[in-house]
Amino acid sequence: MAMARVSSGLAYPERFYAAASYAGFDGSSDSSTKGVSSKFSNDAALLLYALYQQATVGPCKIPKPRSWSPVEQSKWTSWNGLGNMASTEAMRLFVKILEEEDPGWYSRASNFVSEPAVQGEKNNETTAETVTENGNVLPEIKTIPAENGILSEPQDKDVVSEGSGAVGVYDQWVSPPISGPQPKSRYEHGAAVIDDKMYIFGGNHNGRYLSDLQALDLRSWTWSKVEVKTSGEAPVAPFAGHSLIPWGGNKLISIGGHTKDPSETMQVKVFDMQTHTWSNLKTYGKPPLSRGGHSVTPTGTSLVIFGGQDANRSLLNDLHILDLETMTWDEMDTLGVAPSPRSDHAAAVHAERYLLIFGGGSHATCFNDLHVLDLQTMEWSTPTQQGEIPSPRAGHAGVTVGENWFITGGGNNKSGVSETVVLNMSTLGWSTVTTVQGRVPLASEGLSLVLCSYNGEDILVSFGGYNGRYSNEVNVLKPSHRSTLQSMETPVPDSVSAMQNATNATRDLESDVATVQEGKIREIVVDNIESEPMVNKVEETSERLLAALKAEKEDLESSLSKEKLQTLQLKQDLTDAEARNTDLYKELQSVRGQLASEQSRCFKLEVDVAELRQKLQTLESLKKELELLQRQKAASEQALNERRRQSSGGVWGWIAGTPPNQQDDA
């Protein structure tokens, strides 16, 4: 007859003070960075110092130190740069940065970190208790005993425990009866569904990155660990903040994530269900920077990657697309105003054309803005949201059911978000599905949410999360038709009218028929009540109106048939256009091949021209040498003629009897 209180890790602010003590901040004036600098880099030590001061003292109000003291000036600059950041936010960021710098700090600090006491009795009976925390009285919670006498995590009374295994209630989170060896509590893991099984990979547990692969059978609600076989490649490294995507019916793709030794570019790993082996997926093109906390959204045969935080804690808002057919990366240039850099946001694709980005966080704040990217024109827009806009959050999770986007969990740097909301992606109208009370795993950051089928109906399955304690709970929500259609009552704004697909016209036409008939019949009933003596006249009027309604119904049905035919024609035109596009693409590839051959031929011609030019230059040189030889020859001939002319006078002297020598003397 006692209530069990179990915790996996300390809650705030105790967790912050334990982290600060481990990092070397013991509160003395000379320990602010001395003990820290030996454990962390200078940048990390300065940031931890600033966050510690912000959490314990508040915003920086001391004057700037002397310029000849660079250390103190750097500390002051780091602290002052945090502005008016809330103390709770500074605590959370301090612990997060410490976990990134030293993932195993919590286990090494366990010798001076005291865990909350555990109370319980053998009979595992549960009683309600009012919990007081930080001066606030929290609602009642209850504990659901697990198998073998092991007590489970406390749950909120709004989370219903389903003992029979059936998910029988709508629009309410329930806790199914789980069996088998449960995975470690974690957050920032990856989750995906293949063949009625939910697979969980990696995550963060007490500051340690995980690399295990777990499977939950969604028919028997039984956990089992997937045994991974070794292959020729190195074992898969522990990851957190990555994305897990089902691929091809028998494979899982893990994209990105934070790890102890990050690479420069984003890694893509694939797990083969048949061989039970991990392998690195070879990609082409320019891959994105390594990151975690990004979103990966499947659309067609491609994956759209947006945002995240790189290994240097720089927030990103770039957009990349991975084609799963060619395994080629493309970095996309977009138009319009892109979302501000962020991580831990949610993303979804509507009508295979529009990418929606909601929420997320930076180093200083959380967002509740909604951005839409047209994947055909690659232009960003910020449409007007309808209904009650959800509060800012980061670390939430979402799945789409038809044109509805269900979002749950997340945090706002102060507490976990308790409501589960739904966005109709055609009208951009928000509505609340359900709300939980107290500190429960559903009000956590870094939980996962998947969509699967249970007894022929869609259900949402959440797992894990962190809200001061790590969780390994499974909760299930079955959305009703009411909650799925509730947000559709909001009027369609002009700014997003282009997002409605072609089926809306047919649906509206059918609803118009029912509305007209209901309105006309209502008028007839009112007339009958007010004028009973004129029953016959009313009946005649009713018959005429019914005849008119039938005629109008026939016209509407004819119009509906025409609309359906037009829709079929448009689909056929679309198919023909895609076929033409395929032919044009093949023709383009052929032209590219011809162009490549022409370029090769032109290159050869350029080489021949260069050789001819060289020969021409050689000919010009030979021509000059020939002219020089000709001039030398002419000079030689002229000299020879001159000598001959001189020697002709000697003949006359010989005739006269004068010897040549005497003629020379003369």
Side-chain angles (χ1 to χ4, degrees):
M1 297 281 293
M3 175 182 164
R5 300 296 304 272
V6 187
S7 172
S8 59
L10 292 174
Y12 287 94
E14 288 80 6
R15 189 174 185 84
F16 162 74
Y17 289 120
S21 177
Y22 173 80
F25 294 94
D26 57 5
S28 60
S29 60
D30 60 346
S31 64
S32 55
T33 55
K34 286 183 179 179
V36 182
S37 60
S38 61
K39 296 181 180 180
F40 310 106
S41 63
N42 292 334
D43 292 339
L46 286 173
L47 185 55
L48 289 172
Y49 163 79
L51 290 170
Y52 177 81
Q53 294 295 107
Q54 190 80 9
T56 56
V57 180
C60 179
K61 296 182 180 179
I62 62 175
K64 188 174 182 179
R66 300 185 304 273
S67 59
W68 57 80
S69 180
V71 175
E72 294 300 323
Q73 191 174 29
S74 298
K75 290 161 59 178
W76 182 91
T77 302
S78 298
W79 183 12
N80 187 64
L82 298 180
N84 294 321
M85 178 185 291
S87 174
T88 54
E89 181 181 354
M91 290 182 181
R92 187 184 69 84
L93 289 176
F94 184 97
V95 175
K96 184 176 182 180
I97 291 172
L98 179 60
E99 289 179 349
E100 292 177 354
E101 292 290 329
D102 189 356
W105 76 270
Y106 189 82
S107 60
R108 286 192 288 272
S110 60
N111 57 342
F112 59 83
V113 176
S114 59
E115 294 286 351
V118 178
Q119 300 176 356
E121 292 187 2
K122 295 181 180 180
N123 54 11
N124 287 338
E125 295 182 6
T126 305
T127 60
E129 182 180 272
T130 301
V131 183
T132 304
E133 183 173 326
N134 297 331
N136 298 323
V137 178
L138 300 180
E140 294 178 339
I141 61 176
K142 68 177 183 178
T143 300
I144 300 173
E147 295 181 345
N148 302 324
I150 301 175
L151 298 177
S152 65
E153 293 285 338
Q155 293 184 336
D156 187 83
K157 63 180 181 180
D158 289 346
V159 179
V160 180
S161 176
E162 289 287 330
S164 63
V167 184
V169 296
Y170 288 93
D171 299 334
Q172 189 173 2
W173 287 103
V174 300
S175 178
I178 301 297
S179 60
Q182 296 192 15
K184 281 186 178 180
S185 304
R186 68 190 69 198
Y187 80 122
E188 292 185 342
H189 51 276
V193 173
I194 294 181
D195 293 338
D196 294 329
K197 285 188 178 181
M198 178 178 71
Y199 292 88
I200 301 296
F201 171 60
N204 189 326
H205 172 78
N206 285 344
R208 291 179 178 271
Y209 296 147
L210 304 175
S211 62
D212 58 330
L213 182 63
Q214 307 281 343
L216 175 64
D217 192 317
L218 298 173
R219 293 168 295 183
S220 62
W221 303 109
T222 303
W223 280 109
S224 61
K225 183 177 180 181
V226 179
E227 297 298 332
V228 178
K229 298 180 180 179
T230 58
S231 60
E233 301 181 10
V236 63
F239 279 97
H242 53 286
S243 294
L244 194 66
I245 305 295
W247 181 40
N250 60 353
K251 291 182 176 65
L252 293 170
I253 295 180
S254 175
I255 301 180
H258 297 299
T259 186
K260 184 178 180 181
D261 299 315
S263 59
E264 293 184 0
T265 58
M266 181 174 285
Q267 300 296 308
V268 182
K269 299 182 180 296
V270 59
F271 181 77
D272 192 318
M273 296 290 187
Q274 297 179 349
T275 62
H276 280 217
T277 56
W278 283 102
S279 59
N280 291 318
L281 198 60
K282 185 178 181 181
T283 59
Y284 304 91
K286 182 181 179 182
L289 291 174
S290 176
R291 67 191 68 193
H294 52 286
S295 61
V296 178
T297 313
T299 172
T301 58
S302 300
L303 300 177
V304 182
I305 290 87
F306 173 78
Q309 181 176 259
D310 66 14
N312 297 320
R313 301 193 192 93
S314 298
L315 294 169
L316 307 168
N317 66 343
D318 51 346
L319 186 80
H320 300 262
I321 293 181
L322 175 61
D323 190 327
L324 293 178
E325 291 184 339
T326 62
M327 291 301 164
T328 303
W329 285 105
D330 283 318
E331 182 175 5
M332 310 307 296
D333 295 326
T334 59
L335 304 173
V337 180
S340 59
R342 65 190 63 199
S343 65
D344 299 327
H345 52 278
V349 167
H350 175 53
E352 294 294 326
R353 176 172 177 178
Y354 301 97
L355 175 70
L356 285 76
I357 302 293
F358 173 73
S362 65
H363 295 309
T365 187
C366 294
F367 307 111
N368 64 341
D369 50 353
L370 178 67
H371 298 266
V372 178
L373 174 67
D374 189 328
L375 294 174
Q376 292 186 5
T377 63
M378 284 297 164
E379 183 173 3
W380 286 103
S381 62
T382 309
T384 302
Q385 304 180 59
Q386 306 296 314
E388 184 177 354
I389 301 175
S391 59
R393 65 195 65 194
H396 47 289
V399 294
T400 57
V401 182
E403 61 183 5
N404 294 281
W405 189 15
F406 290 86
I407 293 176
T408 191
N412 56 10
N413 292 333
K414 296 181 181 179
S415 62
V417 178
S418 59
E419 69 268 16
T420 299
V421 297
V422 58
L423 173 71
N424 184 280
M425 294 184 288
S426 292
T427 66
L428 298 187
W430 289 101
S431 61
T432 301
V433 179
T434 185
T435 302
V436 296
Q437 302 294 331
R439 180 183 290 176
V440 294
L442 289 167
S444 300
E445 296 184 30
L447 77 169
S448 61
L449 187 66
V450 297
L451 173 68
C452 63
S453 178
Y454 185 81
N455 290 337
E457 293 185 286
D458 292 329
I459 61 170
L460 314 182
V461 183
S462 73
F463 172 77
Y466 177 78
N467 61 358
R469 57 172 69 96
Y470 295 89
S471 170
N472 63 349
E473 279 191 15
V474 176
N475 290 289
V476 179
L477 182 140
K478 180 165 62 174
S480 68
H481 297 293
R482 176 185 58 79
S483 66
T484 305
L485 301 177
Q486 184 178 3
S487 58
M488 296 169 64
E489 299 171 358
T490 309
V492 182
D494 294 337
S495 60
V496 293
S497 59
M499 293 181 61
Q500 300 184 359
N501 49 37
T503 59
N504 286 345
T506 304
R507 192 184 301 112
D508 292 341
L509 192 57
E510 294 173 346
S511 63
D512 286 344
V513 174
T515 303
V516 171
Q517 292 178 351
E518 183 181 0
K520 296 283 180 75
I521 293 173
R522 213 177 269 142
E523 292 176 3
I524 296 171
V525 173
V526 172
D527 290 340
N528 288 335
I529 294 173
E530 293 180 352
S531 53
E532 292 181 0
M534 302 177 66
V535 174
N536 296 331
K537 185 176 180 179
V538 171
E539 289 179 354
E540 293 176 0
T541 305
S542 299
E543 290 177 358
R544 288 196 300 269
L545 288 175
L546 286 174
L549 282 174
K550 289 181 180 179
E552 187 175 359
K553 179 182 178 182
E554 291 176 358
D555 294 340
L556 289 174
E557 288 177 348
S558 176
S559 300
L560 180 60
S561 299
K562 292 179 181 178
E563 290 290 338
K564 290 181 177 179
L565 289 175
Q566 186 177 2
T567 302
L568 292 175
Q569 184 62 38
L570 289 174
K571 289 182 178 179
Q572 183 62 36
D573 294 343
L574 179 60
T575 303
D576 295 341
E578 290 177 349
R580 289 196 299 271
N581 185 33
T582 302
D583 294 338
L584 289 174
Y585 180 76
K586 292 180 179 178
E587 186 176 353
L588 176 61
Q589 293 296 104
S590 176
V591 171
R592 285 178 175 173
Q594 294 176 5
L595 179 61
S597 62
E598 289 294 329
Q599 287 177 344
S600 176
R601 192 168 66 86
C602 289
F603 178 75
K604 292 180 180 179
L605 290 175
E606 289 177 355
V607 172
D608 293 340
V609 169
E611 292 177 353
L612 290 174
R613 286 178 178 174
Q614 187 176 4
K615 291 180 179 179
L616 182 60
Q617 292 177 355
T618 304
L619 288 175
E620 291 178 354
S621 176
L622 291 174
K623 183 178 179 180
K624 291 179 180 179
E625 292 180 1
L626 179 60
E627 291 177 352
L628 179 60
L629 291 173
Q630 288 176 348
R631 287 196 298 269
Q632 292 177 353
K633 179 181 177 182
S636 299
E637 290 177 349
Q638 185 178 0
L640 182 60
N641 293 331
E642 184 67 25
R643 289 178 181 175
R644 287 177 178 175
R645 205 166 37 246
Q646 290 178 359
S647 62
S648 62
V651 174
W652 292 107
W654 180 76
I655 295 174
T658 303
N661 292 335
Q662 293 180 2
Q663 290 181 3
D664 293 338
D665 294 337

